[in-house]
Amino acid sequence: MKPDSTTRASLAPHHRLRASINLGNPILAGTDPVTGRLRGVSIDLAMELGRRLGVDVELIAFDTAGKSVQAVAEENADVGFFAIDPARGASIAFTAAYVLIEGFYLVRETSPIKTNADVDRPEHRVVVGQGSAYDLFLSRELKHAQIVRAPSSPAVVRTFLEQQIEVAAGVKQQLEQQAAGEHGLHLLPERFMVIQQAMGTPKIRGDEAALFLRQFVEEMKASGFVADALARHGINGASVAPPEE
């Protein structure tokens, strides 16, 4: 799969590929504790896309998904890595998912909340990372519980503990990591959503650019590139998404 000059100009109009990176989801991206450099599956995909386009890659890191999405929507970045959501689709052309991640609820062991069905009640508050995929999803799905928004996904458990909130919602692995040093907390037994992580580019870049990006993601899944990246970065609990139908 080789891009023509039109596709290259659409995806990298500044003669470099500006990739919006969300550091709020450690499954996708993080910082190497030794070198300080960005690393993760989204970094690997961005670098490979830049190689395919024949341009340098500029990584633009954000601490939340919302900021990362905004950068692409406002064309301050050329591509990004975030969960598919209808609200985001107004200005961003998404690929199919390349990785599937599970969203779970975290509660205290003394909580009367035992199942996902117990969460959506007027007396319950659910803390989410502002602008995250599960914030958007639960804002539509929860009819009775109150949503409390932490400033970022990494701040969810801290907000949950400090404000004595009834439920924390987020990516399973992130909740487990953040709650590891705390006693008396546990995840509910079933996920409340599957988060479809995809790539996206501004819709204004046109159909050819969107098609090339979709084909790129499908090739990265089929070739084993995504699976290899997950293994290389030691990511557990995320799975390669199936081929686009």
Side-chain angles (χ1 to χ4, degrees):
M1 184 182 65
K2 294 184 178 181
D4 58 23
S5 58
T6 300
T7 300
R8 185 179 294 108
S10 297
L11 282 173
H14 300 277
H15 308 293
R16 67 188 187 281
L17 182 70
R18 300 171 302 167
S20 178
I21 304 298
N22 171 28
L23 295 179
N25 186 340
I27 289 179
L28 302 181
T31 303
D32 188 296
V34 177
T35 66
R37 298 179 65 180
L38 297 180
R39 66 179 185 181
V41 60
S42 59
I43 311 300
D44 294 348
L45 286 168
M47 300 306 292
E48 178 62 17
L49 178 60
R51 189 186 71 79
R52 298 287 182 95
L53 293 172
V55 297
D56 292 334
V57 177
E58 178 186 353
L59 302 175
I60 308 173
F62 297 94
D63 59 354
T64 69
K67 294 176 184 177
S68 179
V69 170
Q70 184 178 6
V72 176
E74 295 179 353
E75 289 198 272
N76 293 318
D78 304 308
V79 296
F81 303 82
F82 19 69
I84 299 171
D85 187 89
R88 297 171 175 173
S91 56
I92 294 175
F94 285 101
T95 67
Y98 62 90
V99 163
L100 302 179
I101 302 172
E102 295 178 320
F104 269 74
Y105 291 126
L106 178 76
V107 299
R108 294 169 180 81
E109 290 180 355
T110 56
S111 172
I113 300 171
K114 304 302 181 185
T115 70
N116 290 353
D118 297 332
V119 171
D120 195 15
R121 296 181 181 176
E123 65 269 25
H124 294 156
R125 294 166 298 164
V126 181
V127 59
V128 300
Q130 185 171 7
S132 64
Y134 44 94
D135 177 6
L136 300 176
F137 176 80
L138 293 176
S139 295
R140 294 190 297 268
E141 296 299 315
L142 295 182
K143 307 303 181 185
H144 306 290
Q146 175 189 349
I147 291 180
V148 177
R149 293 177 174 85
S152 66
S153 294
V156 164
V157 173
R158 183 176 70 248
T159 304
F160 166 76
L161 294 170
E162 291 177 350
Q163 298 187 23
Q164 292 294 300
I165 293 172
E166 289 75 27
V167 183
V171 172
K172 179 182 180 181
Q173 291 74 20
Q174 191 166 41
L175 291 178
E176 288 176 330
Q177 292 172 5
Q178 293 173 356
E182 303 291 336
H183 296 291
L185 305 178
H186 70 95
L187 297 177
L188 292 186
E190 296 182 344
R191 67 194 185 196
F192 66 82
M193 72 177 297
V194 174
I195 302 168
Q196 300 183 73
Q197 294 289 341
M199 292 186 70
T201 192
K203 277 188 173 179
I204 197 170
R205 299 295 175 83
D207 293 340
E208 288 187 12
L211 176 60
F212 181 86
L213 197 60
R214 288 202 305 272
Q215 292 174 337
F216 169 76
V217 165
E218 292 309 303
E219 184 177 335
M220 293 300 95
K221 291 187 294 186
S223 69
F225 184 98
V226 175
D228 290 345
L230 292 173
R232 183 168 56 253
H233 296 293
I235 302 300
N236 297 312
S239 59
V240 180
E244 183 177 22
E245 296 181 358

